[in-house]
Amino acid sequence: MRKIFTAALLAVLTGPSFAYAAGPKLEGTYSDWTTYSRAQGGDKICYVLSKPTSKSPKSVNHGDIYFMVSNWRSGAAKEQPSFLAGYPLKKNRSPEARVGSSKYVMYVSENEAFIESNANERALVAKMKAGASMNVKAVSARGTDVTYQFSLKGITAALKKARSACS
């Protein structure tokens, strides 16, 4: 259920119907992270997202790239990190998120990547709050190795706002 939401959310954020859809509500911008909320059925989803500060290799079209952390008022997700690529990811090559010396292996679902266990989700988010930058390495379905760097400046304030907006 959670990974379906991320794909639907990205379609609303970037798709041509954005101007006509009941889109997400901007809750605030905190340095390099932005907080949004959105009603989904009888639930409310609050999330933070950021775009990478650098992309490698520079010679390829990366499309829209985001890293996001989601909260559902119902508790279906609590600070769930995910990586969204602008292209399909290679299924048998697990993306990795790295903050400092800590590495978190993710699993692929089309153009998204998630952390498998709740404990590792919490650990990654804690490292994000304490860190300055995060690198995400992945492989496209075409076999291209890619690396993205995300600034973590503002993540703690953005997550605090997301929690309060969904309480």
Side-chain angles (χ1 to χ4, degrees):
M1 177 169 92
R2 292 191 276 180
K3 63 185 173 185
I4 292 170
F5 161 72
T6 307
L9 173 66
L10 190 58
V12 169
L13 285 174
T14 60
S17 63
F18 177 70
Y20 306 106
K25 176 185 174 192
L26 174 65
E27 297 285 349
T29 299
Y30 306 89
S31 296
D32 296 320
W33 289 80
T34 305
T35 304
Y36 293 94
S37 65
R38 183 170 194 275
Q40 174 134 344
D43 208 349
K44 183 175 183 182
I45 300 112
C46 302
Y47 55 95
V48 302
L49 65 94
S50 185
K51 291 183 175 187
T53 55
S54 68
K55 302 174 186 178
S56 177
K58 295 190 183 298
S59 60
V60 300
N61 178 4
H62 295 270
D64 293 323
I65 305 295
Y66 299 97
F67 202 90
M68 169 180 200
V69 181
S70 304
N71 290 292
W72 292 55
R73 179 180 280 163
S74 66
K78 183 178 178 186
E79 293 192 345
Q80 178 201 23
S82 59
F83 169 69
L84 296 107
Y87 49 85
L89 296 167
K90 192 164 195 139
K91 290 185 189 283
N92 63 353
R93 294 282 302 273
S94 298
E96 297 175 356
R98 186 180 294 266
V99 180
S101 61
S102 299
K103 178 176 77 170
Y104 301 89
V105 176
M106 305 178 90
Y107 70 90
V108 171
S109 176
E110 297 181 22
N111 67 323
E112 302 173 80
F114 300 90
I115 302 292
E116 188 71 43
S117 75
N118 290 338
N120 284 342
E121 286 180 343
R122 289 189 301 274
L124 173 55
V125 171
K127 290 290 184 180
M128 290 171 68
K129 290 177 184 177
S133 67
M134 174 177 61
N135 288 313
V136 175
K137 292 184 177 185
V139 179
S140 74
R142 293 181 176 177
T144 305
D145 290 316
V146 294
T147 303
Y148 303 101
Q149 184 171 50
F150 293 86
S151 167
L152 297 175
K153 187 175 182 184
I155 183 75
T156 301
L159 286 169
K160 183 177 179 182
K161 180 62 177 181
R163 278 190 307 277
S164 71
C166 261
S167 60

